[in-house]
Each structure stands twice: as C-alpha cells, then as structure tokens.
Amino acid sequence: MTESPAAEGFASDLALALRLADAADAESLPRFDASDLKISTKEDRSHVTDADLATERALRAILAEERPSDGIFGEEFGVEGDAKRQWIIDPIDGTANFMRGIPLWGTMIALAIDGVPQVGVVSMPALGRRWWGSTGAGAWTAAHSGPRRIETSAVASLDDAAVSFQSITQWADAGHLPALLRVVDRVWRDRAYGDVYAYMMLAEGRLEMVAEFDVKEYDIAAAVPIVREAGGRFTSFDGADSISERSSLATNGILHDAFFELTRAND
C-alpha cells in the first residue's frame, strides 16, 4: 500500500497507539470476569474497576516515557499537559459489561491534534478483535490472515439500513425519543449493540448509523478516525464537526444527511 504524506506523518503515532493497546490488553484481559474484581462507584454514580485504573495508569506511564511533551485526557485520571497534541484514553469502554462478564468492552486510544482525532485504536481483547485508523492511511482490523482494510457499507436507502441506538433511556433523557421512534420505524433493522462495538461494526460495513448522547471525548475519540477513514461520517447529533458536543451521529456517509433530516422531522 502506498501511503499519503498525511499517513506517513502519523505512522509513528499509530505504531505507538498499537503498542499502547498491547499494554492495555495485558492489564485488562486477566481481570475480565475475575472473581476478585474490585468495583467502586464514582461521584457521577458510574462504576469503576481496578482494571480501569490499572489500565489507564499503564498507558500514562508509557506516554510519559515516550511522549513527555504530549498531553493526556483519560477517563479515570483527567487532563494533564498540553492539549495541542493530546492522547485521549478510555481504559475500558463498557465498564458495566466488563464487570458483568459480558465481552463487549474495549480500550479506546486516540491522538487528537488541536481537538481533532487523527489516530485511533480500539482493542476488544475478550473478542480477540482490534481496529485502527489514522488520517490518510485508511481503516483496518486484525484478521487471521493479517491486517485487513475495512470500509463502510454502500447502502443508499433508509429502507435497507441497520442502526444501533445505544439505549431507549438515553434517547428519552436527551429529549429525542420521538426521533428514535421515527428512525426505527423507517429502517430495516434496529438493535442496541452498545458502546464502541457498534462504531466498529459501522466501520466494517455491518451497520449504517450509530448515535448516542451524554458522551465524553474519551467515549468517541478513537472511533472517529476509524469511521472516517473507512468512508463514513462522524459528527455530533446536531451536525457539529466536534467531539466535545456530548453527542454523536456516525453513519456510512451516504446516508448521513438522510438520517440527520429524519431525526429532526417534527421535533
């Protein structure tokens, strides 16, 4: 594969992100479904496990050694350093699944430049799956025969589209339940696959839309370059090209405008 200048510019960062994912897997997977898993409740009433904390600590230690001038924004230990080049980390996306022994969880690692994710790696070791992408270098997944490039689907009709909506409660709390009902009434298939897994299924061409609310930067940053490099579009629910709007609307690209219009009809 011939890489563009942009791809070459992020090659070392992507290589580091993949090594960070290896380190994360080594911390998190041995604690998955462990009988002695330690679970506590944070101030926002969400759960955190000893694996979340250990995984983020391990990644911060590597970054401190290899990218000391870069900033870090992690779910568990917050922000430190310069935000111009910022590593955005969710040590375990899907902690609720992790602590219940459900294998749909993963580590999300992104490098954002001036707030725009340019490199993303998602590792789901309980499934034996990993995805990655960087600006100009395409989106990829690990396969038995080696790395395989992935692309979003060519579905061009809402009638043939499959969507993942996270949860009914999430849409209701955001005041968009009528929009969700319009979507599921219009498309071919709707499911709530949940968390980062849904975005990766979108990037692989298995879904046409994923949308959610009350998300932080670390919940979506790593998915952004993967979805976009696979050919999709990734905005906030309101259409902003930003990861700080606390919502997301990711599509196969072809149907982005159609989903955007459908979610706003009669609202």
Side-chain angles (χ1 to χ4, degrees):
M1 183 185 71
T2 301
E3 294 187 341
S4 69
E8 294 174 0
F10 293 112
S12 64
D13 295 313
L14 177 58
L16 174 57
L18 290 167
R19 285 191 286 115
L20 289 169
D22 290 340
D25 292 354
E27 291 287 342
S28 63
L29 189 56
R31 300 299 294 150
F32 176 56
D33 214 18
S35 59
D36 62 343
L37 185 70
K38 297 179 176 59
I39 304 169
S40 55
T41 303
K42 296 189 283 190
E43 290 184 3
D44 64 1
R45 300 183 62 80
S46 64
H47 293 98
V48 62
T49 71
D50 59 343
D52 293 82
L53 301 175
T55 300
E56 186 167 325
R57 286 192 187 103
L59 301 190
R60 285 176 177 267
I62 295 170
L63 289 169
E65 177 70 22
E66 300 204 26
R67 293 289 194 277
S69 62
D70 290 355
I72 303 174
F73 179 9
E75 178 177 8
E76 306 307 337
F77 298 107
V79 177
E80 64 177 87
D82 187 1
K84 180 175 179 60
R85 275 180 54 93
Q86 185 179 64
W87 293 88
I88 303 177
I89 299 167
D90 190 342
I92 297 181
D93 181 73
T95 297
N97 285 341
F98 184 91
M99 69 188 205
R100 296 294 296 270
I102 298 169
L104 297 181
W105 55 271
T107 296
M108 302 180 69
I109 301 163
L111 172 65
I113 310 295
D114 293 325
V116 179
Q118 304 287 359
V119 173
V121 174
V122 171
S123 190
M124 301 186 72
L127 296 181
R129 296 296 310 276
R130 185 176 293 183
W131 300 262
W132 63 92
S134 61
T135 301
W140 301 79
T141 190
H144 294 300
S145 58
R148 173 174 62 84
R149 194 160 188 166
I150 57 176
E151 296 180 348
T152 52
S153 79
V155 172
S157 169
L158 292 175
D159 295 332
D160 300 321
V163 305
S164 180
F165 57 81
Q166 294 299 93
S167 77
I168 292 172
T169 299
Q170 190 187 78
W171 284 66
D173 289 348
H176 293 297
L177 183 57
L180 175 60
L181 296 178
R182 284 195 301 276
V183 169
V184 300
D185 187 55
R186 185 72 170 79
V187 301
W188 166 59
R189 183 175 171 84
D190 62 274
R191 291 292 186 272
Y193 295 108
D195 302 312
V196 69
Y197 186 62
Y199 294 106
M200 298 304 97
M201 294 301 94
L202 171 67
E204 287 194 359
R206 308 181 195 282
L207 297 173
E208 281 66 56
M209 186 203 85
V210 180
E212 60 179 323
F213 304 93
D214 193 29
V215 289
K216 308 296 191 298
E217 288 87 343
Y218 47 73
D219 293 313
I220 57 175
V224 172
I226 298 172
V227 169
R228 288 179 174 169
E229 286 296 307
R233 286 183 63 186
F234 204 120
T235 69
S236 72
F237 190 75
D238 293 327
D241 188 15
S242 170
I243 61 171
S244 61
E245 299 294 314
R246 301 295 181 259
S247 66
S248 66
L249 176 63
T251 72
N252 69 341
I254 299 169
L255 289 173
H256 199 90
D257 291 340
F259 277 117
F260 188 82
E261 293 173 4
L262 180 61
T263 56
R264 274 138 193 84
N266 303 318
D267 270 6

